[in-house]
Amino acid sequence: MSVSASMRVAVVGGGMAGLAAAHELAAGGADVVVLEGSDRLGGKLRLGDVGGLTLDLGAESMLARRPEALDLVHTIGLDDRLVNPRTISAAIWTHGALRAMPATVMGIPADVAELAASGIAGIDAHVLPVPEGDISVAEFVSARLGRDVLERLVEPLLGGVYAGHTDSLSLRATTPQIAALGADLLAGATSARAAATATGPVFAGLVGGVGQLPAAVAAAGGFEVRLASTVRAVTRTADGWRLSVGPTTDVEHLDVDAVVVAAPAPAAARLIAQDAPDAAFALAAIDYASMAIVTYVFDEPPTFDGSGFLVPPIDGTFIKAATVSSNKWGWVADTGRTVIRASVGRAGEATLLQHDDQEITARALTDLRTAFGALPEPLDAVVQRWGGALPQYDVGHLERVELIDRSIATVPGLEVCGAAHRGVGIPAVIASGRAAARRVLDAGTMEP
């Protein structure tokens, strides 16, 4: 089977889902154009200058135990830049001190003695069956291990990944690993942790930053990219689709055979409302959280160990996490500088991000100095705001995604993908884009 050489496909959105879809489509023989409304590619992957160093201002690592991101890195020829963290030993900043994080499975203790020694949380253990339907992470975990484990281990972990709250987040969509532990969470975590230890590194990065990935995919992809090209409408025609692109005063009409909408859920919902109203309604119901990353560069080597720490929201700090990039990544350490990233903002905390950059930088630095002890004045600091960046997988999310899939499947030549669907990490987003592209290719194949 081969794709007709005349098949023209538009990809709306130049984040990693859209780029992965475009790369897959081009490899399958389609003529592809990526339409990105902003002035850059990459979505939540971004490089920037901080104190004369080029560093990640967005995501800085990829899950290595899923194959999609590493496969893409290999395909586009960046294998020589792949690297694993030098350390992933993290701490929890709670009860007034940095405490080594015990072994866990998504915050579920895998070593009760280690947890007790850490002083982080107590356990109120109960063996209860796993419900068939979806419930919140908080409801599931607190009933089986108590609120202390939930608030001081599980909550900070999910706050880092989703910038969300366990009272709302779906067990099935966000932590299927926890549901898979079974009725006895402690026993299940002990077994799962032992099995995971033998499977190799958890995370990977790129020397020079994972923010290199979008441009590298675009350079290798064999597809056209148009920046500053806002798609205002997607309209079905007799033999395909028409996209209205550009400013309202100078709209360009682009006719294609198929469309992959890789935009965030609110924008995607607007574009597909006419032709897939059920999917649009479901997409519009997905909330997003905003957050910011403050990157500091200090002109001294680090005086502390470990990759960083997480903070339980119950402790009321300004920051929710910190990563010591110069401990975590050898290529950053080689600069001779200390690089620390502080993360700010969870769902419902948008007011924190209304402060100006100077105040966010100062307040986050105050927390870092309290946690780590003395820190010198930074050489430089950069605040990268990610407004409405992280979709919230609330209870019932997977059913919502299944509804989206069913609705889209009834509309030939239309696909959707991205972080709002089945995972917010880089590999999951790449998988989403590739799957959408394969559906387009399969529908457009013809006998040679």
Side-chain angles (χ1 to χ4, degrees), residues 209-227:
V210 297
Q212 301 167 88
L213 191 56
V217 174
F223 50 84
E224 180 186 0
V225 172
R226 299 187 190 179
L227 299 177

Side-chain angles (χ1 to χ4, degrees), residues 370-385:
T370 302
F372 285 130
L375 281 172
E377 284 300 303
L379 286 177
D380 195 13
V382 170
V383 177
Q384 177 63 55
R385 299 166 187 268

Side-chain angles (χ1 to χ4, degrees), residues 346-438:
R346 299 178 178 86
E349 296 178 350
T351 55
L352 292 181
L353 304 183
Q354 292 174 3
H355 301 299
D356 62 26
D357 286 0
Q358 184 176 1
E359 183 168 358
I360 288 175
T361 300
R363 292 185 64 177
L365 184 59
T366 295
D367 275 356
L368 291 175
R369 284 172 167 155
T370 302
F372 285 130
L375 281 172
E377 284 300 303
L379 286 177
D380 195 13
V382 170
V383 177
Q384 177 63 55
R385 299 166 187 268
W386 295 106
L390 290 173
Q392 299 299 288
Y393 290 6
D394 290 344
V395 174
H397 179 77
L398 293 182
E399 289 80 2
R400 182 177 294 122
V401 172
E402 288 168 3
L403 171 59
I404 294 167
D405 291 346
R406 290 195 302 271
S407 176
I408 293 294
T410 66
V411 187
L414 178 65
E415 292 293 341
V416 294
C417 61
H421 298 264
R422 288 186 170 87
V424 300
I426 297 173
V429 170
I430 291 171
S432 177
R434 282 180 161 177
R438 285 194 293 269

Side-chain angles (χ1 to χ4, degrees), residues 56-299:
D56 282 310
L57 302 182
E60 66 164 3
S61 63
M62 307 172 286
L63 189 65
R65 290 180 179 171
R66 282 193 63 156
E68 296 89 354
L70 300 188
D71 286 350
L72 185 59
V73 167
H74 172 73
T75 300
I76 64 175
L78 291 182
D79 277 351
D80 61 337
R81 299 186 191 180
L82 269 175
V83 64
N84 300 119
R86 299 193 307 173
T87 177
I88 58 172
S89 62
I92 298 287
W93 183 27
T94 191
H95 301 305
L98 288 175
R99 302 171 185 272
M101 182 182 290
T104 76
V105 175
M106 291 301 293
I108 304 302
D111 187 322
V112 174
E114 196 176 47
L115 174 62
S118 75
I120 292 172
I123 298 176
D124 180 18
H126 302 274
V127 176
L128 298 171
V130 178
E132 292 185 6
D134 196 16
I135 61 174
S136 73
V137 175
E139 183 179 353
F140 184 82
V141 173
S142 61
R144 289 156 180 81
L145 296 179
R147 292 289 301 185
D148 215 19
V149 167
L150 173 76
E151 292 173 344
R152 299 191 186 276
L153 285 173
V154 179
E155 186 87 58
L157 277 168
L158 288 186
V161 177
Y162 292 96
H165 298 280
T166 58
D167 288 327
S168 301
L169 293 174
S170 157
L171 175 72
R172 299 288 180 180
T174 64
T175 56
Q177 309 95 317
I178 292 179
L181 298 178
D184 188 336
L185 289 185
L186 296 178
T190 301
S191 298
R193 182 74 177 188
T197 302
T199 60
V202 179
F203 298 107
L206 295 175
V207 174
V210 297
Q212 301 167 88
L213 191 56
V217 174
F223 50 84
E224 180 186 0
V225 172
R226 299 187 190 179
L227 299 177
S229 297
T230 301
V231 177
R232 302 194 175 278
V234 174
T235 308
R236 198 170 182 179
T237 63
D239 54 359
W241 297 86
R242 170 164 287 187
L243 284 72
S244 300
V245 185
T248 55
T249 55
D250 187 22
V251 174
E252 174 191 0
H253 296 298
L254 181 65
D255 292 319
V256 296
D257 300 297
V259 181
V260 176
V261 179
R270 291 192 296 272
L271 293 176
I272 69 172
Q274 181 175 338
D275 295 287
D278 289 343
F281 184 79
L283 283 165
I286 298 174
D287 290 329
Y288 277 70
S290 298
M291 51 89 67
I293 294 172
V294 192
T295 304
Y296 300 88
V297 171
F298 302 90
D299 194 17

